[in-house]
Amino acid sequence: MTVPPRVTKAVIPAAGLGTRFLPATKATPKEMLPVVDKPAIQYVVEEAVRAGLDDVLMITGRNKRPLEDHFDRAVELELALEAKGDLDRLAAVRASSELAAVHYVRQGDAKGLGHAVLAAAQHVGHEPFAVLLGDDLIDFRDHLLEQMVEVQAREGGSVIALMEVPHDQISMYGCAAVEPGPADDVVRITGLVEKPPVDEAPSDLAIIGRYVLSPTVFEVLRTLPVGRGGEYQLTDAIQELIAVEPVHGVVFRGRRYDTGDRLDYLKAVVRLAADREDLGPPLLDWLREWLAEQPGAQGAP
Ligand code: UTP
């Protein structure tokens, strides 16, 4: 039996326009917005590295400078921190440049996620690879990507991450039709549809921003017609893959934050800060007091 190639490469699309977060994202990619004290994309790179994927390709757009700078050395800053003896901050500054081998490719026009992933074809070659959306955070305590890599090694083909969402919200996501699969939380995908009307959705299982894809997806993407919203949709390409290769879904029941959405972003900042030893206790004390003062709270003026 031939051993399937191990997944070693992570592709992180970060070339979207981030219109939901304007004007903050006018000159800064939304993936660089801070979540507590790290940009969102650093959590995503850390997640890839933890799953054993230390070859990272970022798909960038017109604002690529801050992304490149963040994962590069900052010699002047490092010297200044060293001179001050601020070793904790020095370590934090160095950590992002030492995380992984980070490569960059430009998407050109932001013509959709499918178009962004196709820009990775040359770098990825003929191996299965992971795609992690740069604005989608999976809590570091949940090991989704590791599980997806394992499922891909066992079942071959491609694996996508799914999450159950309230029925009336399914039209905001790609949606999967599924059959039972090899485990309770691993299903076989029989169809995918991007942002279906609620009454046409085949399930309440939404596609979230983690994929382990077979390189066959590039062949499909090369001839893919433009899809919903005038964009090349990765969902449409995976739908075509179902006809030729197995596609499985891992149903994720952990913590996920869409930092490209303003409300979800705020929740991510509060929840991750509340869990921190240094910030959590004073933040929670303040939140309790502040909530008690809000109109409608018990005992509020
Ligand atoms: P989104 O649909 O959330 O990104 O794409 P967007 O278009 O930037 O967001 P809004 O709706 O305008 O606010 C999910 C991920 O795919 C990337 C984005 O950067 C994000 O990480 N993406 C999207 C690309 O890299 N290229 C594209 O053409 C579209």
Side-chain angles (χ1 to χ4, degrees):
M1 200 177 116
T2 51
V3 179
R6 197 170 76 82
V7 181
T8 58
K9 291 180 180 158
V11 172
I12 305 185
L17 297 178
T19 52
R20 285 170 295 164
F21 233 121
L22 283 168
T25 46
K26 184 177 170 193
T28 307
K30 65 177 163 180
E31 292 79 5
M32 284 302 295
L33 295 176
V35 178
V36 190
D37 49 11
K38 283 192 283 192
I41 197 146
Q42 186 172 337
Y43 292 87
V44 177
V45 174
E46 286 170 355
E47 179 190 338
V49 171
R50 197 185 61 186
L53 321 181
D54 54 8
D55 178 329
V56 172
L57 177 71
M58 271 183 208
I59 316 293
T60 61
R62 68 208 152 83
N63 302 328
K64 82 167 183 169
R65 231 350 246 289
L67 285 161
E68 276 201 357
D69 286 350
H70 185 72
F71 292 100
D72 197 359
R73 294 287 303 272
V75 179
E76 255 178 60
L77 182 59
E78 288 175 30
L79 287 175
L81 291 168
E82 213 166 359
K84 281 208 288 184
D86 194 343
L87 300 184
D88 287 347
R89 290 200 178 92
L90 179 63
V93 163
R94 283 199 176 138
S96 58
S97 60
E98 289 167 357
L99 262 178
V102 186
H103 310 270
Y104 301 87
V105 64
R106 285 243 192 182
Q107 185 184 0
D109 289 326
K111 292 187 191 164
L113 186 55
H115 185 251
V117 170
L118 183 56
Q122 199 181 358
H123 184 87
V124 168
H126 299 286
E127 306 158 23
F129 63 104
V131 174
L132 294 85
L133 299 194
D135 59 348
D136 214 338
L137 296 198
I138 300 295
D139 195 288
F140 62 92
R141 290 159 290 196
D142 298 319
H143 293 241
L144 171 64
L145 190 60
E146 285 90 338
Q147 188 187 359
M148 293 174 72
V149 169
E150 270 171 40
V151 172
Q152 199 281 334
R154 236 185 5 250
E155 308 290 336
S158 298
V159 180
I160 64 179
L162 301 173
M163 198 163 183
E164 197 166 339
V165 297
H167 186 62
D168 60 344
Q169 286 176 23
I170 193 68
S171 56
M172 291 158 48
Y173 296 88
C175 173
V178 303
E179 282 177 356
D184 223 18
D185 55 352
V186 182
V187 292
R188 223 172 57 78
I189 309 273
T190 57
L192 293 175
V193 46
E194 184 61 29
K195 300 193 172 76
V198 170
D199 52 355
E200 288 170 28
S203 75
D204 292 340
L205 290 172
I207 305 172
I208 56 169
R210 298 292 179 271
Y211 309 77
V212 179
L213 298 176
S214 127
T216 314
V217 76
F218 296 126
E219 289 166 39
V220 177
L221 285 168
R222 279 192 191 101
T223 56
L224 190 74
V226 74
R228 202 178 181 285
E231 295 194 340
Y232 293 94
Q233 299 287 354
L234 183 61
T235 306
D236 296 346
I238 303 172
Q239 162 69 26
E240 285 195 31
L241 275 186
I242 296 172
V244 288
E245 289 182 352
V247 179
H248 287 88
V250 170
V251 183
F252 180 61
R253 299 199 174 89
R255 291 151 283 195
R256 172 215 174 227
Y257 316 98
D258 173 6
T259 62
D261 173 78
R262 289 169 304 169
L263 182 59
D264 233 25
Y265 170 81
L266 293 170
K267 289 181 190 170
V269 173
V270 172
R271 282 177 71 166
L272 292 178
D275 287 341
R276 287 254 303 242
E277 264 177 37
D278 51 348
L279 297 168
L283 174 67
L284 287 171
D285 284 349
W286 176 79
L287 272 176
R288 277 187 208 102
E289 271 171 40
W290 184 75
L291 284 173
E293 288 163 9
Q294 295 310 299
Q298 257 185 354

Short mmCIF file of all heavy atoms in Angstrom, two decimals, residues 13-20 30-31 107 110-113 116 133-135, ligand 1:
data_model
loop_
_atom_site.label_atom_id
_atom_site.label_comp_id
_atom_site.label_asym_id
_atom_site.label_seq_id
_atom_site.Cartn_x
_atom_site.Cartn_y
_atom_site.Cartn_z
N PRO A 13 -5.39 32.45 2.81
CA PRO A 13 -5.86 33.58 2.00
C PRO A 13 -6.10 34.80 2.88
O PRO A 13 -6.79 34.72 3.89
CB PRO A 13 -7.19 33.07 1.39
CG PRO A 13 -7.15 31.58 1.58
CD PRO A 13 -6.37 31.35 2.84
N ALA A 14 -5.51 35.92 2.49
CA ALA A 14 -5.67 37.16 3.26
C ALA A 14 -5.72 38.34 2.30
O ALA A 14 -5.16 39.39 2.57
CB ALA A 14 -4.51 37.31 4.25
N ALA A 15 -6.40 38.14 1.18
CA ALA A 15 -6.42 39.18 0.16
C ALA A 15 -7.81 39.79 -0.04
O ALA A 15 -8.02 40.57 -0.95
CB ALA A 15 -5.93 38.61 -1.18
N GLY A 16 -8.74 39.41 0.84
CA GLY A 16 -10.11 39.93 0.70
C GLY A 16 -10.15 41.42 1.00
O GLY A 16 -9.22 41.99 1.58
N LEU A 17 -11.23 42.06 0.62
CA LEU A 17 -11.33 43.51 0.77
C LEU A 17 -11.76 43.92 2.18
O LEU A 17 -11.60 45.07 2.57
CB LEU A 17 -12.32 44.08 -0.26
CG LEU A 17 -11.90 43.87 -1.72
CD1 LEU A 17 -12.96 44.42 -2.67
CD2 LEU A 17 -10.54 44.52 -2.01
N GLY A 18 -12.33 42.98 2.93
CA GLY A 18 -12.72 43.28 4.31
C GLY A 18 -13.75 44.39 4.40
O GLY A 18 -13.67 45.24 5.30
N THR A 19 -14.72 44.40 3.49
CA THR A 19 -15.67 45.53 3.45
C THR A 19 -16.53 45.63 4.71
O THR A 19 -16.95 46.72 5.08
CB THR A 19 -16.59 45.43 2.21
OG1 THR A 19 -17.17 44.13 2.20
CG2 THR A 19 -15.84 45.66 0.93
N ARG A 20 -16.76 44.49 5.39
CA ARG A 20 -17.61 44.55 6.59
C ARG A 20 -16.95 45.34 7.70
O ARG A 20 -17.59 45.70 8.67
CB ARG A 20 -17.93 43.12 7.08
CG ARG A 20 -18.95 42.40 6.23
CD ARG A 20 -19.03 40.95 6.61
NE ARG A 20 -17.79 40.25 6.31
CZ ARG A 20 -17.46 39.05 6.81
NH1 ARG A 20 -18.28 38.45 7.64
NH2 ARG A 20 -16.32 38.48 6.48
N LYS A 30 -7.77 43.11 7.18
CA LYS A 30 -8.54 42.77 8.40
C LYS A 30 -7.83 41.69 9.21
O LYS A 30 -8.00 41.59 10.41
CB LYS A 30 -9.96 42.32 8.04
CG LYS A 30 -10.05 41.05 7.25
CD LYS A 30 -11.48 40.65 7.02
CE LYS A 30 -11.56 39.64 5.90
NZ LYS A 30 -12.90 39.20 5.61
N GLU A 31 -7.01 40.90 8.54
CA GLU A 31 -6.27 39.84 9.23
C GLU A 31 -5.23 40.41 10.21
O GLU A 31 -4.69 39.69 11.04
CB GLU A 31 -5.55 38.93 8.21
CG GLU A 31 -6.48 38.10 7.35
CD GLU A 31 -7.13 38.85 6.19
OE1 GLU A 31 -6.80 40.04 5.98
OE2 GLU A 31 -7.98 38.24 5.51
N GLN A 107 -2.64 37.90 -5.06
CA GLN A 107 -3.80 37.43 -5.80
C GLN A 107 -4.12 38.36 -6.99
O GLN A 107 -4.77 37.95 -7.94
CB GLN A 107 -5.02 37.34 -4.88
CG GLN A 107 -6.23 36.75 -5.56
CD GLN A 107 -7.47 36.76 -4.69
OE1 GLN A 107 -7.43 37.21 -3.55
NE2 GLN A 107 -8.56 36.26 -5.21
N ALA A 110 -9.18 40.78 -6.09
CA ALA A 110 -9.88 39.91 -5.14
C ALA A 110 -11.12 39.34 -5.82
O ALA A 110 -12.21 39.90 -5.73
CB ALA A 110 -10.25 40.70 -3.89
N LYS A 111 -10.92 38.23 -6.54
CA LYS A 111 -12.03 37.66 -7.32
C LYS A 111 -12.66 36.47 -6.63
O LYS A 111 -13.24 35.60 -7.28
CB LYS A 111 -11.53 37.25 -8.70
CG LYS A 111 -11.13 38.39 -9.60
CD LYS A 111 -10.82 37.83 -10.97
CE LYS A 111 -10.16 38.85 -11.87
NZ LYS A 111 -9.53 38.18 -13.03
N GLY A 112 -12.45 36.36 -5.34
CA GLY A 112 -13.10 35.29 -4.59
C GLY A 112 -12.11 34.28 -4.04
O GLY A 112 -10.95 34.21 -4.45
N LEU A 113 -12.60 33.49 -3.08
CA LEU A 113 -11.74 32.54 -2.37
C LEU A 113 -11.17 31.46 -3.30
O LEU A 113 -10.01 31.05 -3.17
CB LEU A 113 -12.56 31.90 -1.23
CG LEU A 113 -11.82 31.00 -0.29
CD1 LEU A 113 -10.61 31.68 0.34
CD2 LEU A 113 -12.76 30.51 0.82
N ALA A 116 -8.32 32.96 -5.02
CA ALA A 116 -7.18 33.11 -4.09
C ALA A 116 -6.45 31.78 -3.93
O ALA A 116 -5.21 31.73 -3.97
CB ALA A 116 -7.68 33.62 -2.73
N LEU A 133 -8.54 30.12 6.62
CA LEU A 133 -8.91 31.51 6.33
C LEU A 133 -8.32 32.42 7.40
O LEU A 133 -8.43 32.16 8.60
CB LEU A 133 -10.43 31.67 6.25
CG LEU A 133 -11.11 30.85 5.17
CD1 LEU A 133 -12.54 31.34 4.95
CD2 LEU A 133 -10.35 30.85 3.85
N GLY A 134 -7.70 33.50 6.92
CA GLY A 134 -6.92 34.35 7.81
C GLY A 134 -7.73 35.17 8.77
O GLY A 134 -7.19 35.80 9.68
N ASP A 135 -9.06 35.17 8.63
CA ASP A 135 -9.89 35.95 9.55
C ASP A 135 -10.77 35.05 10.41
O ASP A 135 -11.66 35.51 11.10
CB ASP A 135 -10.78 36.94 8.78
CG ASP A 135 -11.71 36.26 7.80
OD1 ASP A 135 -11.51 35.06 7.54
OD2 ASP A 135 -12.62 36.92 7.28
P1 UTP B 1 -14.41 36.87 3.16
O1 UTP B 1 -15.53 36.72 2.22
O2 UTP B 1 -14.69 36.86 4.62
O3 UTP B 1 -13.52 38.16 2.86
O4 UTP B 1 -13.29 35.83 2.78
P2 UTP B 1 -13.80 39.58 2.37
O5 UTP B 1 -14.37 39.57 0.99
O6 UTP B 1 -12.53 40.31 2.58
O7 UTP B 1 -14.86 40.10 3.46
P3 UTP B 1 -15.99 41.19 3.39
O8 UTP B 1 -17.24 40.38 3.23
O9 UTP B 1 -15.68 42.12 2.25
O10 UTP B 1 -15.92 41.88 4.73
C1 UTP B 1 -12.73 34.88 3.67
C2 UTP B 1 -11.20 34.87 3.57
O11 UTP B 1 -10.78 34.74 2.22
C3 UTP B 1 -9.92 35.80 1.86
C4 UTP B 1 -10.19 36.91 2.87
O12 UTP B 1 -9.04 37.71 3.06
C5 UTP B 1 -10.57 36.13 4.11
O13 UTP B 1 -9.44 35.76 4.88
N1 UTP B 1 -10.19 36.20 0.47
C6 UTP B 1 -11.46 36.45 0.06
C7 UTP B 1 -9.14 36.32 -0.42
O14 UTP B 1 -7.96 36.09 -0.06
N2 UTP B 1 -9.39 36.71 -1.70
C8 UTP B 1 -10.65 36.98 -2.14
O15 UTP B 1 -10.81 37.33 -3.33
C9 UTP B 1 -11.72 36.84 -1.23
#
